[in-house]
């Protein structure tokens, strides 16, 4: 028996960002993009596969490090130019620095650590022993000397990137922004965290999740009931936070609620052939600014995009099965709603559930991201 190649699989809840990080920021050639991404690794016969969460031949599909809440794997990429690769990856804005480039004498390496969009550790490494580096990477003494010169030339760029990161870190507010979320579903919590991190990039965040009731049916029908579920979750998690913190309120409370509704396209557009009724899926996100804030209580509410459910899913939902459970039955999965969700299944990972919520999160936060440049922008009656 002769092994002729290898594929290392990572599982992603942010497939689009993962694609840009590994192809653009790290420069790995994309071999195939058909719902699962395959990148060529140095050596020719090895590949890195990025798979949407919930897609696997395994009985219990693995999940990303973000969903798992802990480190589950590390990708080690060998390069003669650790500093330059580190600087270029950071400049892409899709990863975070875990450790700047440095010598780790214990292992005889010069390395740096990043976290990719799904929270996986990515190590950039060069063996300090030239013979060992050639053993794993190939090359000659001449190429080694050339790469050393390239590394020295890139060191200034890496230093500038680290200094810029340090300045940004120094500007982060000392008191974190406390955000309560009315769900412990990691997909919803991650979308809320990502939305606030983008809206308030220089502010430390403390995101606290609570398992609170929505006050509506397990599978809301129609926009009004779904929106009410999001509003209720926001109010209920604010109350839960106060109870658990001696009356102290969070800065914001967020509710996320998914729902479905009937849409009779043929009746709405009678002149267009081929249209029929369908069951649409969507979600509402409600952001409440704390009543204890200086500006007082205020709301930001937004809806995600919508998409039609396939007839098999729609029939199960109409019979009283919650959409996440219907997903599990139709796709032979388990815990779908805590992973890529219905939208991830139907788009084959092009839009995962976290990204689906994240766009609406940005819209719901719109009333709270304007400073003094537009005073009174959201004030009523003027």
């Amino acid at each position: 028996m002769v092994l002729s190649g290898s594929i290392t699989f990572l599982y992603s809840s942010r497939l689009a960002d993962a694609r840009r990080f590994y192809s653009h920021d790290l420069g790995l050639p994309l071999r195939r993009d058909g719902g699962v991404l395959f990148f060529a690794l140095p050596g020719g016969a090895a590949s890195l596969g990025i798979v949407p969460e919930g897609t696997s031949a395994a009985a219990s599909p693995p999940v990303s490090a973000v969903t798992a809440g802990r480190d589950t794997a590390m990708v080690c990429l060998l390069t003669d130019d650790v500093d330059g690769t580190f600087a270029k990856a950071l400049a892409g804005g899709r990863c975070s620095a875990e450790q700047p480039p440095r010598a780790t004498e214990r292992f005889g390496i010069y390395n740096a650590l990043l976290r990719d969009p799904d929270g996986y550790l990515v190590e950039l490494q060069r063996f300090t022993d030239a013979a060992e580096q050639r053993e794993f990477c190939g090359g000659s003494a001449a190429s080694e000397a050339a790469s050393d010169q390239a590394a020295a030339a890139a060191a200034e760029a890496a230093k500038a990137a680290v200094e810029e990161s340090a300045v940004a870190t120094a500007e982060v507010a000392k008191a974190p922004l406390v955000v309560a979320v009315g769900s412990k579903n990691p997909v919803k919590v991650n979308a809320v965290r990502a939305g606030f991190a983008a809206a308030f990039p220089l502010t430390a965040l403390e995101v606290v999740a609570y398992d609170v009731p929505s006050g509506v049916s397990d599978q809301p029908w129609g926009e009004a009931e779904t929106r009410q579920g999001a509003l209720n979750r926001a109010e209920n998690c604010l109350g839960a936070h106060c109870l658990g913190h001696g009356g102290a309120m969070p800065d914001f409370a967020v509710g996320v609620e998914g729902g479905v509704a009937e849409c009779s396209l043929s009746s709405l557009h009678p002149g267009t052939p081929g249209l029929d009724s369908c069951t649409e899926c969507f979600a509402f996100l409600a952001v409440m600014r704390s009543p204890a804030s200086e500006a007082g209580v205020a709301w930001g509410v937004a809806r995600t995009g919508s998409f039609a459910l396939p007839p098999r899913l729609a029939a199960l939902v109409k019979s009283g099965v919650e959409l996440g459970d219907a997903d599990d039955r139709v796709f032979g999965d388990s815990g779908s709603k805590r992973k890529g969700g219905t939208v991830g299944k139907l788009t084959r990972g092009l839009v995962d559930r976290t990204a689906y919520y994240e766009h609406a999160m940005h819209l719901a936060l719109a009333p709270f991201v304007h400073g003094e440049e537009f005073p009174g922008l959201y004030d009523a009656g003027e």
Side-chain angles (χ1 to χ4, degrees):
M1 181 186 73
V2 177
L3 298 177
S4 57
S6 66
I7 303 174
T8 298
F9 288 108
L10 299 181
Y11 291 81
S12 175
S13 62
R14 303 182 65 179
L15 199 68
D17 283 340
R19 186 187 197 280
R20 289 190 291 268
F21 172 69
Y22 284 102
S23 62
H24 180 271
D25 301 343
L26 289 181
L28 294 180
L30 182 63
R31 278 184 164 153
R32 186 187 304 171
D33 182 357
V36 175
L37 308 175
F38 290 94
F39 296 95
L41 292 175
S47 298
L48 177 67
I50 309 295
V51 186
E53 281 189 337
T55 303
S56 177
S60 179
V63 296
S64 68
V66 168
T67 300
R70 59 182 176 83
D71 289 330
T72 55
M74 181 169 76
V75 176
C76 179
L77 301 174
L78 300 179
T79 173
D80 289 332
D81 186 8
V82 172
D83 299 273
T85 308
F86 179 77
K88 184 177 184 300
L90 281 183
R94 284 171 280 271
C95 65
S96 59
E98 186 77 8
Q99 174 209 299
R102 72 182 185 195
T104 305
E105 295 181 3
R106 177 186 175 190
F107 300 111
I109 60 175
Y110 183 76
N111 72 329
L113 293 172
L114 301 164
R115 285 200 182 271
D116 81 352
D118 288 289
Y120 288 106
L121 279 173
V122 177
E123 181 182 31
L124 307 174
Q125 176 185 307
R126 172 170 58 85
F127 289 101
T128 53
D129 182 272
E132 196 169 13
Q133 181 77 353
R134 286 196 299 273
E135 177 187 352
F136 282 87
C137 301
S140 63
S143 65
E144 177 194 324
S147 61
D148 283 346
Q149 290 176 359
E156 286 302 314
K159 181 181 178 182
V162 172
E163 288 176 351
E164 183 179 347
S165 177
V167 169
T169 301
E171 292 176 356
V172 171
K174 292 182 179 179
L177 194 69
V178 180
V179 181
V181 184
S183 173
K184 288 191 174 181
N185 185 319
V187 173
K188 295 181 179 181
V189 175
N190 290 337
V192 171
R193 181 182 288 109
F196 272 88
F200 305 98
L202 298 181
T203 304
L205 294 177
E206 180 183 340
V207 179
V208 190
Y210 296 95
D211 190 6
V212 297
S214 67
V216 297
S217 58
D218 289 341
Q219 181 55 73
W221 277 85
E223 288 198 354
E225 185 182 14
T226 307
R227 186 189 297 110
Q228 190 62 58
L231 295 168
N232 291 346
R233 285 186 184 275
E235 291 186 300
N236 289 338
C237 74
L238 182 138
H241 187 90
C242 291
L243 286 174
H245 293 78
M249 288 190 177
D251 296 296
F252 290 92
V254 182
V256 182
E257 191 72 23
V260 293
E262 283 296 298
C263 182
S264 181
L265 295 176
S266 56
S267 298
L268 292 170
H269 308 281
T272 304
L275 292 177
D276 203 349
S277 298
C278 67
T279 303
E280 287 188 325
C281 182
F282 54 86
F284 274 94
L285 285 82
V287 178
M288 178 173 62
R289 185 173 63 199
S290 171
S293 68
E294 184 177 339
V297 66
W299 287 90
V301 181
R303 203 193 91 151
T304 64
S306 61
F307 57 94
L309 294 178
R312 286 179 63 193
L313 280 176
L316 285 170
V317 172
K318 289 176 184 177
S319 72
V321 179
E322 197 208 340
L323 181 57
D325 297 329
D327 282 340
D328 290 345
R329 293 190 193 182
V330 171
F331 294 104
D333 200 356
S334 62
S336 298
K337 64 184 179 181
R338 301 179 71 84
K339 296 182 288 189
T342 309
V343 68
K345 297 286 191 187
L346 297 183
T347 65
R348 299 190 66 181
L350 293 177
V351 180
D352 60 61
R353 199 178 183 202
T354 300
Y356 180 65
Y357 288 148
E358 195 175 328
H359 272 213
M361 189 73 241
H362 296 319
L363 299 176
L365 283 171
F368 310 114
V369 298
H370 296 279
E372 296 302 317
E373 70 271 29
F374 299 111
L377 179 64
Y378 280 85
D379 289 350
E382 293 191 13

